Amino acid sequence: MTLGIVLALFGGMMVCIQNTFNAKVKERVGAWATTTLVLGLGFLASLTIGLIVEGGGLFSMNGMQPWFWFSGIIGVGVVLCVTQGVQQLGPSYAISIVMVSQILFALLWDTLGWFGLDQVAFTWTKAVGVVLIGGGVLLFQLGGKLTERRMLRKGA
């Protein structure tokens, strides 16, 4: 469990860094070029490391549902949407919204047992947790705006 938590934390850090970098690239070349660059370089890195680590078994997909093969197409939407969100809203606001959205949809898919997941019962504690997380994000974002307004009033 500890390893899973560490990996999730590291993954969250990498998502934030990647999307900040992606937004900077998008300022120069546009959304589609950014998406192509990000996913193209990701493909090359994954292919190279995968061949080194797994060898010829890299593409062994026995027993997998064919529609799961297309998750990379969803990745195009992820990179495109989050990159533009970061550019328009800033990293903390955009990633906060992405985080809350991920939690809400993960809860929905767990509860309904979609995509081959084991169905997990929806409880009032999960509902309260999602509301608290959403409220925390709102507080985080609105708190900064209230501070900015106070600073503007003092400076004016």
Side-chain angles (χ1 to χ4, degrees):
M1 183 170 181
T2 302
L3 178 60
I5 292 170
V6 169
L7 290 171
L9 288 169
F10 190 65
M13 177 197 67
M14 288 189 298
V15 166
C16 189
I17 291 170
Q18 181 192 27
N19 287 301
T20 301
F21 286 11
N22 292 352
K24 291 296 182 186
V25 172
K26 185 185 172 292
E27 289 175 4
R28 303 278 185 213
V29 297
W32 288 109
T34 299
T35 303
T36 302
L37 179 69
V38 168
L39 295 177
L41 289 173
F43 168 76
L44 291 175
S46 295
L47 180 63
T48 302
I49 295 168
L51 287 171
I52 291 168
V53 172
E54 296 183 23
L58 178 63
F59 293 106
S60 177
M61 299 185 204
N62 299 335
M64 186 189 311
Q65 297 294 336
W67 54 82
F68 291 139
W69 300 349
F70 297 97
S71 68
I73 295 170
I74 296 169
V76 171
V78 170
V79 171
L80 193 67
C81 292
V82 176
T83 298
Q84 295 200 88
V86 167
Q87 187 180 32
Q88 292 180 18
L89 302 172
S92 65
Y93 195 33
I95 297 301
S96 296
I97 293 169
V98 168
M99 181 187 70
V100 171
S101 173
Q102 286 177 318
I103 291 167
L104 287 171
F105 282 102
L107 180 60
L108 175 68
W109 293 326
D110 272 348
T111 301
L112 298 174
W114 288 0
F115 307 117
L117 298 171
D118 292 333
Q119 194 168 4
V120 177
F122 182 81
T123 63
W124 69 271
T125 56
K126 290 178 184 175
V128 169
V130 169
V131 168
L132 288 173
I133 291 168
V137 167
L138 282 174
L139 183 63
F140 176 75
Q141 293 305 325
L142 294 176
K145 290 180 183 180
L146 293 174
T147 303
E148 287 174 18
R149 287 183 190 149
R150 281 189 209 120
M151 291 175 71
L152 287 174
R153 281 187 209 141
K154 286 181 182 179

